[in-house]
């Protein structure tokens, strides 16, 4: 738990949320600044800042809740699709430093742009990246 963290405060019930689901390890509630209406967050009850810091058993529990919430959000909002997003660190757009997944319902005409322009590798560069990453796996 972190005293300053807004999601820890929601977990503890110190500030209200539009709660969708809760079990011993995971909580889900609506994002108050939604990309589309019905945008939900799936949050671990324990405070970890990053996906890479949390125990894999807890991540497994979270992703199962993501699946359950995504199905419910799709059904309830009659969405055409959905995105699952997880931001890590400020450079990647993480505003709340407590690990969470976004479940964003998508509609064919919603005008959201969640895709990025593609960069290009120089010659041999893609192999170098592959080797660099594999060497620290
Ligand atoms: P991220 O940028 O991935 O850290 O996302 C944080 C998300 O938390 C944003 O989409 C905010 O709209 C959302 N958020 C912040 N405070 C609250 C809150 N009190 N209740 C629900 N959602 C919140
Ligand atoms: Zn927290």
């Amino acid at each position: 738990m972190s005293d300053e963290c807004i999601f820890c405060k929601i977990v503890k019930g110190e500030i209200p949320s539009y709660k969708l689901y809760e079990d011993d390890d995971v909580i889900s509630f609506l994002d108050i600044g939604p990309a589309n209406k019905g945008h939900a967050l799936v949050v671990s009850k324990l405070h970890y800042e990053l996906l890479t810091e949390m125990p894999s058993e807890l991540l497994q529990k979270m992703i199962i809740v993501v699946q359950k919430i995504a199905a419910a959000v799709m059904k309830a909002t009659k969405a055409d699709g959905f995105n699952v997003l997880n931001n890590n660190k400020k450079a990647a757009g993480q505003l709340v430093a407590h690990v969470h997944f976004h479940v964003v319902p998508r509609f064919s005409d919603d005008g959201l742009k969640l895709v990025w322009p593609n960069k290009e590798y120089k010659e041999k560069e893609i192999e170098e990246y592959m080797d660099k990453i594999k060497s620290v796996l």
Side-chain angles (χ1 to χ4, degrees):
M1 289 286 160
S2 156
D3 287 347
E4 300 303 309
C5 172
I6 192 147
F7 287 176
C8 282
K9 287 183 179 156
I10 289 176
V11 168
K12 285 186 271 182
E14 289 175 7
I15 61 169
S17 68
Y18 296 92
K19 206 186 288 178
L20 299 169
Y21 172 88
E22 180 173 17
D23 63 30
D24 288 346
D25 306 292
V26 184
I27 186 170
S28 176
F29 48 87
L30 289 176
D31 192 308
I32 49 165
N36 276 326
K37 291 171 188 171
H39 177 167
L41 299 173
V42 175
V43 177
S44 73
K45 285 193 169 176
L46 287 179
H47 180 94
Y48 294 96
E49 183 179 346
L50 306 174
L51 184 82
T52 43
E53 290 173 343
M54 67 190 305
S56 50
E57 295 75 24
L58 180 53
L59 179 58
Q60 284 170 359
K61 288 176 178 161
M62 277 185 91
I63 204 72
I64 289 166
V65 177
V66 167
Q67 186 185 42
K68 190 193 283 285
I69 293 296
V73 165
M74 280 289 283
K75 208 166 170 180
T77 63
K78 298 187 170 54
D80 301 311
F82 66 97
N83 293 108
V84 173
L85 298 165
N86 164 244
N87 300 324
N88 290 270
K89 297 225 181 194
K90 209 180 268 183
Q94 186 177 17
L95 297 174
V96 178
H98 179 135
V99 73
H100 56 280
F101 287 95
H102 297 257
V103 177
V104 182
R106 297 299 306 275
F107 303 90
S108 305
D109 57 354
D110 65 18
L112 275 181
K113 295 234 184 307
L114 292 182
V115 286
W116 41 78
N118 299 114
K119 298 207 165 76
E120 273 182 33
Y121 286 107
K122 292 188 219 125
E123 214 191 316
K124 295 267 185 340
E125 220 181 5
I126 193 161
E127 286 93 344
E128 285 164 26
Y129 272 82
M130 180 181 68
D131 291 341
K132 211 155 47 167
I133 294 166
K134 278 170 67 180
S135 74
V136 291
L137 261 183

